[in-house]
Structures are given as C-alpha cells and as structure tokens.
Amino acid sequence: MALCGTIEDIVYRNDENGYTVARLEKDDSIVTVVGKFIDIQVGAEVSLEGKFERTKYGVQYVFESYEISLPKSIAGIEKYLGSGLIRGVGPITAKKIVERFGKETLDVLEYSPQKLSQISGISEKKAVEIGFSFKEHREVQNTIMFLQNYNISTNMSLKIYNVYHEKTNDIVKNNPYKLVEDIDGIGFLTADKIAQNCGIPKTSVFRIRAGLIYVLKTSCDKNGNTYLPKVMLFDQAGTALELDQVECADGFKEAFDSLCLDRTCVTTWLDGTEIVMLSKYHYYENSVAQKLVWLSNCQNEHEFSLDEEIASFEQRNKITFHEEQKNAIIGAINNGVFVITGGPGTGKTTIIKCILEILTNQKKNVSLVAPTGRAAKRMSDSTGHEAKTIHRLLEVNVIQSDQSFFVHTETNPLKTDAVIVDEVSMVDVALMCSLLKAMPRDCKLILVGDKDQLPSVGAGNVLADILQSGVIKYCMLTKIFRQEEKSLIITNAHLINEGKMPLIDNTSLDFFFESKNEPEFIKDSIVELVTTRLPKFLKVEPQQIQVLAPLKAGVCGIENLNTVLQERINPPQNGKRQVEFGRVIFREGDKVMQMTNNYDLEWKRHGRFAEEVGQGVFNGDIGQIVTIDPQTSEVIVEFEDGRVCLYTRPDLMDLSLSYAITIHKSQGSEFDTIVIPAIAGPSIILTRNLIYTAVTRAKKMVVIVGEKQYLKRMVANKYTATRFTLLKHLLTSADEKVKNLF
C-alpha cells in the first residue's frame, strides 16, 4: 500500500547504506517509517510503497521503494533547504532565499542560480556552487528513482551514479550491458533483464560483448581459470546468450574484435590454440612471472655454508634434521626465490624457524606472512615471531568507497630483506602479483605450502605452476617426523594422499569413524557429537568444534547444518537480540565467517598499550557476534585476532554462520577438533584432495560420520579440475629471455 506525506523528522540515519528511521506527517498524524533513502531531508514530500509491521518499537511503516516530490509550500521549501541538503545553505540562508524568491525558489536554484547573488552574503561564486549542489542532488534522486524500476538497490544505484553521473540514465537505457564491465556487483543476468525491458534485441553486439565478458568473468571467479580457449569461450557464450554462433557469426566477430581493440581482453596463442584472457589476468600472470624470475636471478652468487648454523639450531632445539630438511634450509638461504613443499608432519614449521633464525643472525629484516588471519596466527605461535596476513603487510588504503589499493607497491616497496609465505597454495594470482610488486628488487622470497591441497579459491594456480615450470628451485619434503604415539591424523592424511583408505578401526586417540547410512542419521549424529558428546569427552565448548562439510546444500550441507547447530548451540532467548537477513537469522553469540574480502570495513582492536584501528576484513576470517541493534540491523563482530567490526545491514550479505563451513573455506586454517560428513555427491567435488585438505586441518582430533563407501570413493577419486592458467608458460618464457641476456 502507498503512503504519502512530508518528512517531519529524521530519527536515525546511516549514511553508509541509506537506512533511515523517520517521522512522516500525513493528514495531521505522525507515522514512523523505516527503509532506505538517499539524501532524504526534513521537509521532503514522499510517496512510499510498503506495509505496516508490528515491531518491538511499535507499529512502523516499512517501505521498499519511494518517490520524492519537491515541496510546494513556502514553509516546506524553507524547511527543505535549511535541512543541510545543499552545501553552503543553512537555516538562516534558506530563510533569506525563500523570503526573496518565494514559491519560485526551487526554479531559481535549478535554472537561474546566479540570481542568488542578489541576496546579501551570497557571492556570485557561492551562488553558482549552491546551484551546482542542488542540481547534483536532484540528479542523484532522479537516478535512484529511475533505477528502482529495474529492481536495482539503493546502494547499487548510488554506485552506478558515482561512475556515470549525469550520463547514467542514457547509458542504462541505450547499453545496460556496459554495467557488466564497469560496475562490480552487476552481473550479466541483471543487465540482460534491463536490456529486455528497454527493447534491446537479443542479437545486439552490446549483448554478445557482455555475454563474452560474463563467461570469462564466471570462468575466473568460479573455476579459477585465467584464460579460456577461444572456441570454448564462444561455445559457452552462445549457450549463455541462447544464440546460434553460425547465425550470429558477424555479431560474435564484431563483439570479440571490440573487446580486443579496447584491450578489455587479450588474445594469444598457446600450443597451437588461440586463448583469450581478461586484460587484468594477463597483467597479473605476466607480472608474477617476470618478478619471480628477476628475484631468483638477483641473489648474491656467494653461497653460505650453513653447517654450523644448522648444527647449533639442532643442538639448542634437541632435534636432528633429515638431509632433505637441511637441503630445504640451505636452498632457502642461498636462493632469491625458493619453494618448500610437503605434507603434514614433514617439518615445514621447524624449517621455517631455522631459516628465520639464520636470516635474523645475518641481520636481515624478515617478514612472515600467510593468506588468512588464522594461518598468520598459527605461524606467529609456532615461530614466536610476528606474522601478518598478506593484506595487512601490504596495508589496505581505501581511496574511495568503491576503490581499494595497497599502500605498498613498486613505488613504495616494503622495507624488508626477506618474505616467507606460508600456506602458499591458497594464494591466488592477483594477491601474489600485489605481494611481488611491493617487494624490493633484492628481496628474498621463500614460499612454503602443500602442493596436494586444494588450489586457491581465486583465479590462478600459482604454486602448481611454479613447481611445474621448473624455473624456480624447490625442495619436496617426503619424510614424516611429527607423529605422536597412537596418533593417526598425519598417518591417515598421507595414506589418503597416496590413494589408500585411512585406518578407521577407532583404536587411536585422535581419528574416529562413525558409521551412519542415511543423511538424516548422519546429520543427527554430527549435531550430537558437536553439542554433547565431544564437548563432554574433550571438556571444551561446542563452539570450539568445527564441522567441515564438502557441500553447501542438502541435509548434510553447511546451510542446513548451520541452522540445526545454531538452534542447539545458540537458541533464541529472552534478551538475546537477533536480526534476519535473507534466509539466515544472526543472533548474539553466533559463530560467523566473512565470505569475501571487504577492504572498506573498519575495525578496532585493543592493543597492549593503545587502541589499534584499521580497515579490511577478509575471506575466511572467523569471529563471534557480540551485539546486535535490531532497529538498525547493525551487527558488531569480534574476530579471533581481536579485531572488532561494525556491520551495517548491507554488509551482512558477506557474513555467514560458521558452525559448519565448507572444506574449501577451511584452507589455511587449523582447528583442534573437526567433524566431517562422508556423504554422496558429485564426483567433481568429492575428490581425494578435498578429503585430504579436510583431514589436514585438524590438530588434535578427526571424526568422520557417514558411510565407508563414500569415504572410499573420495579417497579413490583423484580427479582434479583442470585450470586454464598461463603462469607456467610465462615463467618458462621469462626465464629463457633472462638466460639469453646473460
């Protein structure tokens, strides 16, 4: 139902997302209205579309869309202008303007702002500025109204306007597909719906161009590819666009040529096949290849004899290094770039400690980094040396609300002599590019990781490509050292990696299998294990036990498991506040995870001597909801490293319950105790390296619940999805060029 009236007062407003609680005057009565406005001001006449709802604050009118009309009465105009709407106009100036121009005031502001200089205290320059501010405000409002017709949110509408300004309406009407290229968050399907409403034909070159970009972006974001063969790109685009390539051959050629001409895409040949890349990924992989080859050739030719240093470390730590471990240490110290790879228990952490000690004794400034906060914390705990996330090392610098950059780049390099990166299998090509750009030209780089774990979530296959190229020196650790008596976690991880069934006779202290043969029974068993049996046995809180599931959907998928675990671990209670967002209820005390990188989100942390502040919350960060404001839907989350962040309602789309998380999201993390469902599912997902990655996340205990046949299938399934990446080829090419030069 529609509700029309005048904004009498603004009770609450969040300028970040437009969420507003206001008092609306209608027929001499006052109604509380709740929803999102852009630049709403007291005195504005609005028409709202929504419904009345009963809340803890009483009956409120919650609106989904709105229209704003300019006030018509002199009193309304004065209140409208005096509310801070226009830069340089306050209540006193607004009164003077209205007294001078009366009901013609708004026309003067829009069409003849120079007339304002007739008023005492307003110069000609200020008159023009006031007119410009009023015009800009009107353009924003009109844009929001226009884009609402296409179900584009207020936040996204403002983002679009900030890119196109006064051209917004023309671009959306004439070529909405341009949004796909220019606006993060606008997908092809959204643009296509707008285009159909505007009458743009399905065979439009604009549409085909957008379809090609959509397929490339999807391939990067969902499948980790950095390129696609041209034939595959055209086939997938034809399917997505529902167009016959033969019938539309000219349109496909014109669209593709335009992408190459304006360098949106780059095309090249690889092993006789024409391939296509988005330009940014071509830049990322080229940059990574060139910098790695440069760093690997910049090391001082003098090789250190490290026998004494290694022997001293062994004596003080009461250990004896295996020959391959010594080779790893020597290789890392004596090469500009070096890779150390191996599975659990092969001594990677001890090797890092020894390398760190030797470099420190050489008066080197060493930076320890990892892709995630959990991995960085684990690195800090194990080495006794501060480790940071890569993002924190590079320092996020937000220039605008929709643009984030790193402080440290090639023009402002890091002040460090060596960088050691742990869990490097998780690092995608974009992040590796940023890290390498920020490294000084004579800096040492040591990459540590497990080549058999899942590849990065983001595009690229950095660790695998580096190892396969043969350009960068590496050491493969194979001998297992860390293995406690009657412990099976490490033994079983290596058995799985070799394609053999883990030992599941339940005689160990840390690896158990519980046989259940129906999804409902598996789910019920997991819930009991997490909420009752394991907490009682281990004397820990349920929140300390992590469920790692292969799938999102289904009875044993994380969506359903999170719902049932939340009801058991953190049920609703009087006084415990909660907020509903989509199909998820967030409640005070809930365990949550950040699902994407958000460089803009501000945080605070209480340090030993002072309060730290910063920006950036990243994919995989886990925390707990501390408080919720149900009126504004604002949520405060404290993360495991002590950062405290305020989430406005739009930010909640990046937050998920994390009583259960996917195995992919667990990369780079370790948990004391994990529970894994062994269930049926797609063979392209339920693979050997998936269950291997899951098992290697546990420090103290693994419990697998389900059917042995499904566990056996996963262990036997060595399928790995092929990623189309160019880094291996580019490394080889860059290395050949350097060898030819020197």
Side-chain angles (χ1 to χ4, degrees), residues 67-125:
E67 290 185 8
I68 296 180
S69 303
L70 292 175
K72 298 177 180 61
S73 69
I74 289 177
I77 293 172
E78 183 179 334
K79 185 181 287 187
Y80 181 65
L81 296 183
S83 61
L85 162 73
I86 301 171
R87 291 186 296 274
V89 178
I92 295 174
T93 304
K95 186 176 182 66
K96 288 181 181 180
I97 294 173
V98 173
E99 284 178 350
R100 176 68 179 82
F101 297 107
K103 290 187 176 182
E104 296 180 1
T105 295
L106 299 181
D107 286 338
V108 169
L109 286 168
E110 188 160 6
Y111 303 112
S112 310
Q114 65 275 11
K115 289 183 179 180
L116 297 174
S117 62
Q118 299 171 12
I119 298 171
S120 173
I122 300 180
S123 65
E124 290 185 5
K125 181 181 178 182

Side-chain angles (χ1 to χ4, degrees), residues 117-318:
S117 62
Q118 299 171 12
I119 298 171
S120 173
I122 300 180
S123 65
E124 290 185 5
K125 181 181 178 182
K126 186 175 180 180
V128 172
E129 289 174 352
I130 290 172
F132 178 80
S133 178
F134 179 76
K135 183 181 178 182
E136 185 180 45
H137 172 75
R138 293 292 295 152
E139 283 177 355
V140 172
Q141 292 287 5
N142 290 336
T143 298
I144 302 302
M145 298 302 106
F146 170 72
L147 295 177
Q148 274 188 359
N149 296 325
Y150 303 108
N151 294 320
I152 297 176
S153 70
T154 300
N155 282 355
M156 187 58 70
S157 296
L158 192 58
K159 196 172 185 180
I160 294 169
Y161 177 82
N162 286 337
V163 173
Y164 299 133
H165 297 288
E166 71 279 359
K167 297 178 182 178
T168 300
N169 292 14
D170 287 340
I171 288 173
V172 172
K173 285 178 182 176
N174 297 321
N175 181 16
Y177 297 107
K178 190 165 173 49
L179 302 177
V180 179
E181 300 181 43
D182 298 339
I183 313 293
D184 285 339
I186 293 285
F188 174 77
L189 298 178
T190 300
D192 207 29
K193 286 179 182 177
I194 297 172
Q196 301 313 307
N197 289 338
C198 294
I200 295 175
K202 286 197 169 188
T203 55
S204 162
V205 173
F206 291 145
R207 183 171 186 265
I208 297 172
R209 176 186 166 104
L212 292 168
I213 293 173
Y214 165 72
V215 169
L216 281 172
K217 280 187 173 180
T218 302
S219 173
C220 295
D221 296 341
K222 294 189 176 180
N223 301 322
N225 300 317
T226 58
Y227 76 82
L228 280 180
K230 183 179 176 183
V231 172
M232 184 181 293
L233 170 62
F234 274 41
D235 285 344
Q236 292 182 11
T239 301
L241 295 164
E242 298 179 340
L243 293 177
D244 188 304
Q245 280 189 61
V246 177
E247 292 179 4
C248 302
D250 290 342
F252 271 81
K253 183 180 185 306
E254 185 179 346
F256 181 70
D257 288 346
S258 74
L259 288 171
C260 296
L261 191 63
D262 64 16
R263 300 291 291 177
T264 299
C265 293
V266 174
T267 180
T268 186
W269 290 84
L270 179 65
D271 299 329
T273 300
E274 188 174 9
I275 65 171
V276 187
M277 310 177 74
L278 290 169
S279 289
K280 67 178 181 179
Y281 287 106
H282 185 258
Y283 168 76
Y284 292 152
E285 292 200 303
N286 258 305
S287 179
V288 168
Q290 290 172 20
K291 191 65 180 275
L292 284 173
V293 170
W294 172 271
L295 291 173
S296 67
N297 283 278
C298 278
Q299 179 69 28
N300 191 315
E301 291 185 3
H302 173 72
E303 289 197 359
F304 294 97
S305 174
L306 302 172
D307 292 345
E308 290 185 11
E309 288 87 345
I310 293 174
S312 173
F313 183 88
E314 289 176 319
Q315 184 178 6
R316 280 181 288 102
N317 289 275
K318 296 181 174 57

